[in-house]
């Protein structure tokens, strides 16, 4: 069970949080202009990396804020946490 | 049988408090401080159980949690019974009863013992190989296998005890209170770290505390005397919490550890009541110091499992700590020097040591001379080749080892004895270290796994990291603590030591016998009865991975998880396969380190606290009316209100008729309610619902359908515009939390530019839904001032009003097809409002109805329930709800997916109505639908999603999803059931009042 440093609340136990999948997948601004394949790429395709992964987390049982996390999935080391909209750090 | 082998008064045993206890029906006596094992040994009882597979007689082997054999049932047939308890851990108390496991009718005469003679027929994998054919017989085999297997008996009565959980946050957690752990904890606490020290035993001090070796001195004091002084000093240290009888069960990531604190297991029955029995400590530590010590290894030789064969260190602990002699004629069998010290210690106490059998050629210390002076014969380069004595060891046979240690030569020498102390060296207890994710390395020289790369916030100290000599332990501890705790000095760095103990060792994983391996019984895993032969068989049969060999032979899979035998298994595999142990790796150590009770795991979450649930403010009224309840998400909702012994069907039929003929009332408080405010609130709703919201007038309500981005229906509900920039959204009962989460997600991540704020107000309001042709008259009685005319208060609109002086929000919306009013008040007034409605409705036969009637009424109208008629694969088009999907809006969640190639298929499953040819037959929800009967296999067209007998139409109605169903209206289909086939006709899903006349009647 991780200790997650919520950028708004500070260190909290993992059980207060919800994982939200891969980060930095922006919803297309003009979905109607996309082909089926392009839309499917946005809709379904997600990475599942062994190693450093950028992912979304939500402090669901806390401040309800979404934020981003860089996590090494091979050892669960949290390498960075940053707010939505902030530039991802290069790890 | 009962003899007194108590040798001297021990400072850890209170000989003034005699305790009587029963083992297998016989009464014995021990003293306060005894474990069951020490008390039994004091009575010369070695035989305590039978082995798992061959039912061989087994005795007490160890003095700690690694015990594989002495596994007993405590207080059998009572409500406090507990199986698989290690006799070496459990402390005796007045009136305790214990019995052996895995034997019938008794441990002395066990029918299963016949397996011992059948053992050539029971090799590794015997069950897998034998009971596979024929497959259909497995059910019969299983019955017998289950009855002959198994260790203890599960408790059958309700557990009378209380269990607890506690969260602990500390700076430094020290696991293990031996000399390393005590010094580590002391120095951490003294340097202002909030420190927690845990030990599984009832006394601090580990093995050093009863050490009386004259050659081990610290500051010119005997090491045990020195340590006692240190322990005394712990009392005065702030920041230090010490817990004994507390075993760390698991070490998870981020220094999250679970420990079981035992509070009453050692107390007499009368002192156990109304106290917490065990507490699960959930510890989050900034730093962890593992000082878990080392476990002595047995050795693998022929017939190494007889009662009376014990670990050398256990014999020492029983004599030096508990004051109990494990036998009258003791032989030691060793590969290192530790047995010599033990022999000397026993000799000092007047216990006869017959001989030491040493597989080494010589020792480099001066112990040898002292042992010989004491009259003990040493057999260098000899090994035990066999032992005898069925229920108690009476003889060992030894022979000279060849140079390479793989065979024996010369004559067999027979030594009569009643106890054999086996000293095979030490295995660091690295279980917790590896659970945490730290890596191990194999030290080829010492033949041990030691922590290699610890996580940054953790260290291992003392013998659990491979330091076995006292001076080595203390010097390394000093350096490690300074670094880990970031301190300049420790309080013990200037002590002086004296120890001449040298660790020289000759390691042979499988010792030879004069008999061929196939004729011998060299046990590796005592608890699961796996021998070296089984390992070799597994290798011959092609198993290579250590994990596979483990599962095939079951080595390491008992309740002791192979604490004693795993290293030998690895060694034998490595030797046989010709590889290095380091290359084999080790099996995974999994939590818990020692078994936990279910009580500890669940803590206080039992009975009504097992699962949390929510109740509406009107709940007490429903209970008074003897409503039946249904779980909806976490909510307890009134399901139906039976009167005069009605069945569910009768009650629902009555409620449904009343709601349409006069009036009904439903507790709708559980619907999710989200308050939406902000200048972009309308735009936000436009983006999350499929229909348009900008033009909704203030004070008007609108039904909305919410999709997932994949175009599938996610949730639905009515949203009311309370003001220019203010909406109140309702969601399904079960979907409320997820909807709020999803909306927040879009707001925060995709549309941060929108000025919108969301607040859950589900719990803030209680909702009574009045429905039926007389609902308006009832509402008029409660709120006389409000103009309820259709002109002033039309369907799909909202009014704020007052019931007496309580503000309420009233929505004229309908989920039943009848004229309805949903009255929302502050939750604390919910029950008052409800009772007022009931009182006012008496003259109109107001009928409270539950969720079942609500479902029936809406099914008559063809209204969907998200999650019942949809399952995450239905688009609005599939539901024939095209009308609610805006063609004009540029975008909304899920819009693009509504014209993907898959969602525009004509043959998707679509929502339709079904009418049975026989109007009395009610379909089963979930029943499959086909169009042909004489085809095999036949295509499943879909299934029934909702089905009821409608009292208002006096016929059976159903909703179903059917492939291409939209174009099938009037078509005959079939529903094959187990005993009959039901003929149905596809219909429009709206069965009742298709023109919605009743809404304004």
């Amino acid at each position: 069970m991780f200790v997650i440093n919520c950028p708004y609340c500070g260190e909290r136990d993992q059980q207060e949080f919800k994982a939200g999948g891969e980060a930095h997948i922006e919803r297309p601004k003009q979905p109607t202009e996309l082909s089926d394949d392009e839309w499917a790429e946005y809709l379904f395709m997600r990475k599942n990396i062994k190693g450093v992964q950028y992912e979304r987390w939500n402090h669901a049982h806390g401040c309800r804020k979404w934020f981003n996390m860089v996590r090494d999935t091979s050892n669960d080391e949290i390498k960075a946490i940053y707010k939505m909209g902030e530039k991802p750090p290069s790890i | 049988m009962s003899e007194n082998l108590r040798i001297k008064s021990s400072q850890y045993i209170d000989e003034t408090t005699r305790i009587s206890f029963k083992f297998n029906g016989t009464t014995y006596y021990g003293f306060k401080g005894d474990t069951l094992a020490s008390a039994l040994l004091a009575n010369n009882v070695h035989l305590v159980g039978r082995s798992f597979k061959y039912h061989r007689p087994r005795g007490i082997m160890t003095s700690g949690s690694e015990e594989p054999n002495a596994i007993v049932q405590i207080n059998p047939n009572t409500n406090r019974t507990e199986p698989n308890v290690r006799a070496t851990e459990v402390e005796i108390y007045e009136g305790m009863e214990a019995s052996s496991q895995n034997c019938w009718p008794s441990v002395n005469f066990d029918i299963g013992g016949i397996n011992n003679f059948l053992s050539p027929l029971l090799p590794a994998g015997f069950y897998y190989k034998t009971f596979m054919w024929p497959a259909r017989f497995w059910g019969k085999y299983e019955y017998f296998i289950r009855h002959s297997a198994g260790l203890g008996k599960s408790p059958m009565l309700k557990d009378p005890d209380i269990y607890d959980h506690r969260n602990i946050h500390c700076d430094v957690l020290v696991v293990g209170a031996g000399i390393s752990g005590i010094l580590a904890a002391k120095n951490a606490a003294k340097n202002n770290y909030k420190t927690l020290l845990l030990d599984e035993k009832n006394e601090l001090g580990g093995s050093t505390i009863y050490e009386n070796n004259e050659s081990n001195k610290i500051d010119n004091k005997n090491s045990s005397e020195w340590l006692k002084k240190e322990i005394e000093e712990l009392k005065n240290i702030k920041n230090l919490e010490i817990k004994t009888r507390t075993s760390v069960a698991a070490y998870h990531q981020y220094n999250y550890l679970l420990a079981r604190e035992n509070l009453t297991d050692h107390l007499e029955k009368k002192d156990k009541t109304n106290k917490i029995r065990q507490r699960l400590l959930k510890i989050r530590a900034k730093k962890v110091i593992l000082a878990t010590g080392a476990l002595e290894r047995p050795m693998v030789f022929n017939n190494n499992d007889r009662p009376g064969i014990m670990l050398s260190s256990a014999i020492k602990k029983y004599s030096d700590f508990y004051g109990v002699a494990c036998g009258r004629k003791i032989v030691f069998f060793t590969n290192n020097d530790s047995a010599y010290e033990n022999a000397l210690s026993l000799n000092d106490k007047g216990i006869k040591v017959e001989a030491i059998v040493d597989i080494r050629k010589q020792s480099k210390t001066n112990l040898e001379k002292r042992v010989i002076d004491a009259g003990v014969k040493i057999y260098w380069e000899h090994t035990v080749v066999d032992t005898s004595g069925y229920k108690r060891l009476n003889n060992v046979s030894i022979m000279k080892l060849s140079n390479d240690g793989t065979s024996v030569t010369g004559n067999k020498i027979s030594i009569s004895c009643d106890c054999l102390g086996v000293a095979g060296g030490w295995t660091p207890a690295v279980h917790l270290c590896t659970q945490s994710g730290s890596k191990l390395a194999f030290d080829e020289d010492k033949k041990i796994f030691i922590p290699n790369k610890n996580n940054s916030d953790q260290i291992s100290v003392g013998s659990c990291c491979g330091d076995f000599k006292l001076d080595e332990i203390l010097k390394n501890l000093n350096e490690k603590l300074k670094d880990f705790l970031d301190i300049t000095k420790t309080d013990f760095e200037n002590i002086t030591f004296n120890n001449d103990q040298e660790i020289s060792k000759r390691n042979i994983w499988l010792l030879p016998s004069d008999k061929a391996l196939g004729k011998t019984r060299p046990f590796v895993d005592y608890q699961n009865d796996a021998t070296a032969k089984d390992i070799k068989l597994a290798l011959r049969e092609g198993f290579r991975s250590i994990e596979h060999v483990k599962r095939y032979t079951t080595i390491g899979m008992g309740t002791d998880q192979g604490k004693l035998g795993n290293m030998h298994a690895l060694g034998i595999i490595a030797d046989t396969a010709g590889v290095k142990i380091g290359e084999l790796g080790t099996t995974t150590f999994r939590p818990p380190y020692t078994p936990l009770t279910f009580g500890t795991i669940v803590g206080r979450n039992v009975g009504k606290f097992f699962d949390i649930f929510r109740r509406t403010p009107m709940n007490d009224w429903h209970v008074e009316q003897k409503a039946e309840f249904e779980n909806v998400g976490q909510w307890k909702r009134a399901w139906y209100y039976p009167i005069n012994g009605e069945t569910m069907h009768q009650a629902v039929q009555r409620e449904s008729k009343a709601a349409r003929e006069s009036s009904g009332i439903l507790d709708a408080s559980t619907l999710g309610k989200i308050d939406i405010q902000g200048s972009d609130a309308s735009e936000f709703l436009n983006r999350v619902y499929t229909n348009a919201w900008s033009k909704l007038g203030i004070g008007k309500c609108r039904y909305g359908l919410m999709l997932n981005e994949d175009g599938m229906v996610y949730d639905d509900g009515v949203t009311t515009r309370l003001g220019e920039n203010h909406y109140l959204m309702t969601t399904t009962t079960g979907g409320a939390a997820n909807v709020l989460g999803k909306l927040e997600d879009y707001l925060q991540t995709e549309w941060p530019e929108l000025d919108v704020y969301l607040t859950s107000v589900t719990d803030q309001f209680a909702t009574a839904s009045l429905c039926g042709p007389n609902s308006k008259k009832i509402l008029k009685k409660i709120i006389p001032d409000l103009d309820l005319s259709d002109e002033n208060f039309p369907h799909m609109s909202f009014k704020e009003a007052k019931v007496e002086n309580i503000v309420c929000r009233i929505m004229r919306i309908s989920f039943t097809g009848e004229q309805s009013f949903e009255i929302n008040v502050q939750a604390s007034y919910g029950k008052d409002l409800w009772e007022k409605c009931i009182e006012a409705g008496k003259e109109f036969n107001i009928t409270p109805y539950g969720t079942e009637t609500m479902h029936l009424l809406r099914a008559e109208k063809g209204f969907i329930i998200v999650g019942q008629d949809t399952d995450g694969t239905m688009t609005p088009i599939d539901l024939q709800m095209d009308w609610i999907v805006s063609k004009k809006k540029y975008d909304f969640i899920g819009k693009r997916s509504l014209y993907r190639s898959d969602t525009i298929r004509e043959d998707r499953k679509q929502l339709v109505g079904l009418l049975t040819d026989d109007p009395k037959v009610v379909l089963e929800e979930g029943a499959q639908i086909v169009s042909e009967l004489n085809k095999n296999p036949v295509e499943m067209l879909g299934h029934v999603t909702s089905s009821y007998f409608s009292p208002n139409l006096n016929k059976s109605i159903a909703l179903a999803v059917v492939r291409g169903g939209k174009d099938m209206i009037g078509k005959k289909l079939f529903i094959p059931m187990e005993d009959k086939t039901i003929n149905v006709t596809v219909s429009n899903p709206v069965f009742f009042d298709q023109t919605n006349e009743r809404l304004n009647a």
Side-chain angles (χ1 to χ4, degrees):
Chain A
M1 195 127 57
F2 312 162
V3 174
I4 297 175
N5 192 3
C6 169
Y8 304 93
C9 308
E11 287 192 345
R12 295 288 189 280
D13 202 281
Q14 187 188 343
Q15 63 184 4
E16 294 184 15
F17 296 84
K18 214 168 127 180
E22 193 182 334
H24 302 296
I25 296 178
E26 199 180 341
R27 186 176 191 270
K29 289 272 183 289
Q30 295 172 319
T32 47
E33 321 246 307
L34 301 181
S35 68
D36 270 12
D37 283 352
E38 287 165 335
W39 180 247
E41 182 69 28
Y42 160 71
L43 202 52
F44 302 121
M45 297 307 172
R46 297 293 183 269
K47 292 189 196 115
N48 185 14
I49 298 165
K50 183 183 178 185
V52 174
Q53 179 161 294
Y54 291 73
E55 44 194 38
R56 291 155 21 100
W57 283 76
N58 180 223
H59 196 183
H61 299 282
C63 64
R64 299 206 328 233
K65 285 283 194 185
W66 283 88
F67 57 89
N68 291 318
M69 179 192 287
V70 189
R71 181 173 64 105
D72 187 334
T73 59
S74 66
N75 60 9
D76 282 330
E77 187 193 337
I78 298 173
K79 298 199 169 271
I81 283 176
Y82 51 103
K83 292 180 182 173
M84 280 291 159
E86 288 179 356
K87 220 178 135 213
S90 52
I91 303 289
Chain B
M1 180 90 180
S2 186
E3 294 171 72
N4 190 0
L5 286 184
R6 197 67 70 166
I7 43 179
K8 71 166 181 82
S9 59
S10 151
Q11 54 184 308
Y12 300 102
I13 299 296
D14 180 0
E15 288 201 46
T16 59
T17 347
R18 201 171 83 143
I19 288 172
S20 75
F21 66 99
K22 273 187 181 173
F23 182 66
N24 287 334
T26 307
T27 301
Y28 297 99
Y29 298 96
F31 297 112
K32 195 168 176 208
D34 266 328
T35 61
L36 178 60
S38 69
L40 286 172
L41 289 170
N43 288 282
N44 202 18
V45 177
H46 273 257
L47 172 62
V48 288
R50 291 276 176 158
S51 70
F52 189 59
K53 189 165 154 192
Y54 304 128
H55 292 252
R56 283 169 69 99
R58 289 281 166 82
I60 296 158
M61 179 103 202
T62 73
S63 57
S65 59
E66 71 272 33
E67 177 62 37
N69 289 340
I71 306 291
V72 299
Q73 182 101 22
I74 299 293
N75 295 321
N77 305 318
T78 69
N79 58 0
R80 281 206 168 89
T81 190
E82 187 178 350
N84 304 337
V85 173
R86 291 155 301 284
T88 49
E89 283 199 299
V90 63
E91 295 165 58
I92 56 165
Y93 51 83
E94 187 63 37
M96 182 169 104
E97 289 188 37
S99 65
S100 301
Q101 297 180 165
N102 203 35
C103 54
W104 185 84
S106 80
V107 71
N108 273 304
F109 177 72
D110 174 24
I111 295 224
I114 193 151
N115 283 3
N116 190 27
F117 303 102
L118 298 176
S119 69
L121 304 176
L122 298 169
F126 169 73
Y127 289 94
Y128 301 133
K129 289 168 183 162
T130 312
F131 297 108
M132 292 300 288
W133 298 279
R136 69 195 154 84
F137 268 37
W138 170 246
K140 292 191 169 61
Y141 293 141
E142 192 187 11
Y143 176 83
F144 289 101
I145 292 171
R146 291 246 182 260
H147 278 73
S148 62
L151 291 161
K153 287 197 179 92
S154 298
M156 300 302 284
L157 302 168
K158 188 175 158 35
D159 191 333
D161 284 313
I162 308 165
Y163 300 82
D164 196 22
H165 286 183
R166 180 182 158 196
N167 288 297
I168 298 182
H169 295 264
C170 61
D171 296 326
V172 177
L173 170 69
V174 183
V175 184
I179 187 165
S180 309
I182 285 167
L183 293 177
K186 193 176 166 206
N187 280 278
K190 274 184 160 180
N191 286 283
N192 291 322
Y193 289 100
K194 190 185 162 204
T195 305
L196 177 64
L197 172 65
L198 307 178
D199 196 278
E200 61 180 2
K201 299 266 183 345
N202 59 344
E203 293 277 350
L204 301 180
S207 60
T208 311
I209 204 68
Y210 56 89
E211 182 63 64
N212 56 5
N213 186 343
E214 287 304 317
S215 53
N216 267 345
K217 286 208 155 86
I218 304 176
D219 281 348
N220 290 321
K221 277 198 191 115
N222 186 314
S223 56
S224 63
E225 293 304 318
W226 185 84
L227 186 60
K228 259 170 224 159
K229 191 181 78 340
E230 293 290 309
I231 292 172
E232 197 56 35
E233 282 174 25
L234 293 180
K235 286 179 192 157
N236 305 320
I237 298 178
K238 280 184 223 158
N239 291 330
L240 177 62
E241 185 177 0
I242 302 172
K243 286 186 178 294
T244 53
R245 298 189 177 97
T246 302
S247 167
V248 173
Y251 187 165
H252 297 294
Q253 301 161 312
Y254 288 77
N255 279 351
Y256 182 63
L257 295 94
L258 298 175
R260 187 251 298 117
E261 184 184 13
N262 232 328
L263 297 160
T264 67
D265 278 359
H266 60 291
L267 300 178
E268 270 183 58
K269 215 176 272 178
K270 66 178 167 57
D271 296 326
K272 287 182 200 285
T273 40
N274 296 324
K275 283 187 191 147
I276 291 164
R277 179 191 169 200
Q278 291 174 347
R279 183 183 279 136
L280 186 70
L281 308 179
K282 304 181 196 176
I283 306 161
R284 190 72 85 162
K286 293 213 174 77
K287 290 169 180 285
V288 174
I289 298 174
L290 294 174
T292 45
L295 304 173
E296 186 164 48
R297 281 181 201 171
M299 288 197 278
V300 180
F301 56 94
N302 184 24
N303 284 322
N304 57 348
D305 66 327
R306 300 194 188 281
I309 300 181
M310 306 173 71
L311 293 182
S312 160
S313 60
I315 295 177
K316 179 176 161 66
K317 177 152 192 186
Y318 287 118
S319 74
D320 294 357
F321 188 86
Y322 297 104
V324 172
C326 292
R328 292 200 165 84
K329 282 193 292 182
I330 296 179
V331 171
F332 283 99
F333 181 30
T334 187
N335 66 5
N336 65 78
D337 287 332
S338 65
Y340 290 77
E341 294 173 35
N342 296 357
L344 286 170
S345 171
L346 292 188
N347 193 64
D348 289 347
K349 295 188 176 67
I351 304 165
K352 174 84 179 144
V353 177
E354 293 284 317
I356 295 178
V357 181
D358 195 325
I359 66 172
R360 298 176 299 174
K361 292 188 169 85
Q362 63 185 63
S363 166
K364 290 170 191 143
T365 64
N366 62 13
L367 283 165
E368 177 187 349
K369 186 173 171 300
R370 288 166 56 200
V371 167
I372 292 170
D373 288 348
V376 179
K377 184 157 174 48
I378 303 174
Y379 293 92
W380 294 108
E381 236 186 329
H382 272 68
T383 182
V384 175
V385 293
D386 203 356
T387 65
S388 62
Y390 187 56
K391 290 179 198 167
R392 176 72 185 267
L393 181 74
N394 58 27
N395 193 79
V396 297
S397 304
I398 66 170
M399 287 174 81
K400 189 156 173 58
L401 267 173
S402 65
N403 270 336
D404 64 358
T406 57
S407 59
V408 286
T409 57
N411 294 328
K412 208 186 273 190
I413 303 164
S414 177
I415 310 170
S416 161
C417 60
D418 61 358
C419 181
L420 178 68
V422 183
W426 299 88
T427 302
V430 292
H431 308 70
L432 294 176
C433 174
T434 59
Q435 279 181 28
S436 76
S438 292
K439 298 281 175 270
L440 302 178
F442 190 70
D443 182 329
E444 282 291 346
D445 194 34
K446 292 181 177 171
K447 303 281 181 211
I448 52 173
F449 278 103
I450 49 172
N452 182 28
K453 195 173 157 287
N454 276 349
N455 292 336
S456 58
D457 43 14
Q458 170 203 128
I459 49 167
S460 295
V461 297
S463 57
C464 74
C465 66
D467 298 341
F468 297 131
K469 285 158 67 183
L470 190 60
D471 55 347
E472 184 178 76
I473 288 173
L474 294 175
K475 271 182 209 150
N476 290 341
L477 177 67
N478 181 41
E479 292 309 314
K480 281 182 175 177
L481 284 182
K482 286 200 286 192
D483 183 45
F484 189 64
L485 299 175
D486 195 20
I487 53 178
T488 50
K489 60 190 287 257
T490 66
D491 68 349
F492 62 93
E493 62 186 356
N494 297 323
I495 54 169
T496 57
F497 337 90
N498 234 338
N499 69 327
D500 64 354
Q501 179 189 11
E502 171 135 5
I503 308 294
S504 81
K505 184 173 160 184
R506 179 186 190 188
N507 202 75
I508 300 174
W509 294 116
L510 170 58
L511 290 157
S513 168
D514 55 330
K515 292 183 192 153
L517 179 65
K519 307 259 184 218
T520 62
R521 296 288 179 75
F523 285 92
V524 175
D525 184 316
Y526 297 85
Q527 196 173 92
N528 274 350
D529 266 352
T531 66
K533 281 189 293 186
D534 295 319
I535 297 174
K536 297 214 170 198
L537 176 69
L539 292 169
R540 274 207 306 282
E541 292 188 358
F543 292 94
R544 286 292 174 269
S545 154
I546 173 69
E547 295 287 354
H548 290 156
V549 174
K550 169 180 161 173
R551 279 159 183 77
Y552 192 59
T553 59
T554 72
I555 281 176
M557 293 175 72
T559 59
D560 60 338
Q561 294 195 24
K563 290 186 180 73
L564 291 186
N566 274 355
M567 278 309 300
H568 301 87
L570 282 171
I572 292 166
I573 293 168
D575 284 353
T576 310
V579 295
K580 285 188 166 158
I581 289 186
E583 294 161 14
L584 273 180
T586 172
T587 57
T588 317
F589 296 106
R590 292 196 172 84
Y593 179 68
T594 49
L596 292 175
T597 60
F598 283 113
T600 311
I601 296 167
V602 299
R604 307 253 174 184
N605 302 327
V606 292
K608 63 180 175 178
F609 299 119
F610 180 67
D611 198 10
I612 55 168
F613 54 85
R614 302 165 83 182
R615 285 177 165 152
T616 74
M618 291 81 140
N619 184 76
D620 288 354
W621 191 91
H622 307 320
V623 172
E624 281 161 27
Q625 299 298 312
K626 301 204 165 47
E628 292 292 331
F629 285 84
E630 173 180 40
N631 295 329
V632 183
Q634 289 170 337
W635 289 99
K636 298 274 175 202
R637 293 196 73 176
W639 193 13
Y640 57 96
Y641 300 80
I643 48 176
N644 302 328
E646 280 176 327
T647 62
M648 174 168 164
H649 177 75
Q650 289 165 337
V652 170
Q653 296 287 304
R654 170 181 55 74
E655 291 170 13
S656 301
K657 262 181 107 64
R660 293 218 189 278
E661 286 172 2
S662 177
S663 68
I665 183 167
L666 172 81
D667 180 356
S669 308
T670 63
L671 281 182
K673 294 176 273 289
I674 300 172
D675 187 272
I676 303 175
Q677 300 194 43
S679 56
D680 293 317
S682 302
E683 171 61 17
F684 179 66
L685 291 174
N686 274 334
R687 295 188 191 185
V688 301
Y689 278 132
T690 61
N691 46 352
W693 291 80
S694 307
K695 288 180 185 151
L696 183 70
I698 293 170
K700 299 290 180 209
C701 313
R702 183 165 286 173
Y703 173 76
L705 204 56
M706 197 183 290
L707 309 186
N708 261 330
E709 207 65 270
D710 61 5
M712 304 304 159
V713 171
Y714 181 70
D715 201 78
D716 68 346
V718 170
T719 296
T720 304
R721 189 165 195 176
L722 300 173
E724 178 63 27
N725 298 322
H726 191 187
Y727 290 85
L728 182 69
M729 173 188 278
T730 59
T731 72
T732 56
T733 295
N738 290 335
V739 169
L740 181 67
K742 180 184 161 89
L743 298 183
E744 279 284 359
D745 187 353
Y746 274 92
L747 262 185
Q748 290 179 33
T749 65
E750 300 294 351
W751 308 320
E753 73 280 7
L754 293 186
D755 174 39
V756 176
Y757 301 89
L758 306 176
T759 312
S760 165
V761 291
T762 306
D763 289 330
Q764 278 67 28
F765 290 97
T767 310
S769 177
L770 272 175
C771 100
N774 285 321
S775 56
K776 204 182 266 186
K777 292 176 195 156
I778 297 169
L779 189 60
K780 189 80 196 162
K781 283 177 73 179
I782 306 171
I783 314 175
D785 309 342
L786 187 61
D787 177 0
L788 294 177
S789 67
D790 289 348
E791 295 73 42
N792 183 57
F793 196 176
H795 181 58
M796 296 309 271
S797 67
F798 152 85
K799 293 283 175 222
E800 197 165 271
K802 279 187 172 177
V803 181
E804 287 170 12
N805 56 353
I806 305 305
V807 178
C808 60
R809 290 169 170 174
I810 307 170
M811 282 81 165
R812 182 168 172 185
I813 52 178
S814 176
F815 192 42
T816 59
E818 298 298 318
Q819 201 177 91
S820 309
F821 298 90
E822 287 195 358
I823 314 167
N824 295 275
V825 293
Q826 187 184 316
S828 50
Y829 294 108
K831 195 172 170 230
D832 288 349
L833 169 74
W834 182 270
E835 284 169 344
K836 247 182 196 66
C837 292
I838 296 283
E839 185 59 34
K842 259 187 188 161
E843 60 178 299
F844 305 103
N845 183 33
I846 192 169
T847 302
Y849 66 91
T851 49
E852 191 64 18
T853 292
M854 174 187 82
H855 287 181
L856 191 161
L857 293 172
R858 65 85 208 178
E860 289 178 338
K861 287 292 295 176
F863 295 151
I864 59 154
I865 287 185
V866 173
Q868 175 157 349
D869 303 297
T870 74
D871 59 1
T873 66
M874 304 295 286
T875 68
I877 320 302
D878 298 337
L879 294 169
Q880 305 214 44
M881 291 171 80
D882 314 43
W883 54 270
I884 201 170
V885 180
S886 165
K887 305 281 184 296
K888 291 182 193 154
K889 283 200 292 181
Y890 179 70
D891 193 13
F892 56 82
I893 297 172
K895 177 175 169 111
R896 176 60 186 84
S897 291
L898 293 180
Y899 55 95
R900 292 178 60 236
S901 57
D902 184 55
T903 42
I904 55 173
R905 276 187 297 116
E906 288 296 318
D907 63 342
R908 288 180 63 83
K909 286 183 183 171
Q910 291 143 358
L911 186 80
V912 293
L914 291 182
L915 291 170
T916 49
D917 287 4
D918 177 350
K920 290 203 169 49
V921 175
V922 179
L923 298 173
E924 269 185 40
E925 288 173 359
Q928 294 291 318
I929 302 163
V930 300
S931 61
E932 289 173 88
L933 283 177
N934 301 317
K935 204 175 149 197
N936 193 9
V938 64
E939 190 196 9
M940 303 289 182
L941 291 181
H943 65 276
V944 178
T945 59
S946 297
S947 174
Y948 303 91
F949 186 81
S950 161
N952 298 302
L953 296 160
N954 199 27
K955 65 179 178 188
S956 155
I957 55 164
L959 298 174
V961 290
V962 178
R963 199 172 295 258
K966 231 184 256 187
D967 300 324
M968 283 189 184
I969 307 292
K971 193 174 156 67
K972 298 263 179 207
L973 294 174
F974 308 100
I975 298 187
M977 301 301 289
E978 200 175 5
D979 52 346
K980 63 183 172 194
T981 295
I982 303 168
N983 298 344
V984 296
T985 306
V986 180
S987 74
N988 185 308
V990 184
F991 301 98
F992 187 80
D993 187 27
Q994 293 186 346
T995 52
N996 290 332
E997 279 163 26
R998 300 176 71 88
L999 287 174
N1000 294 310

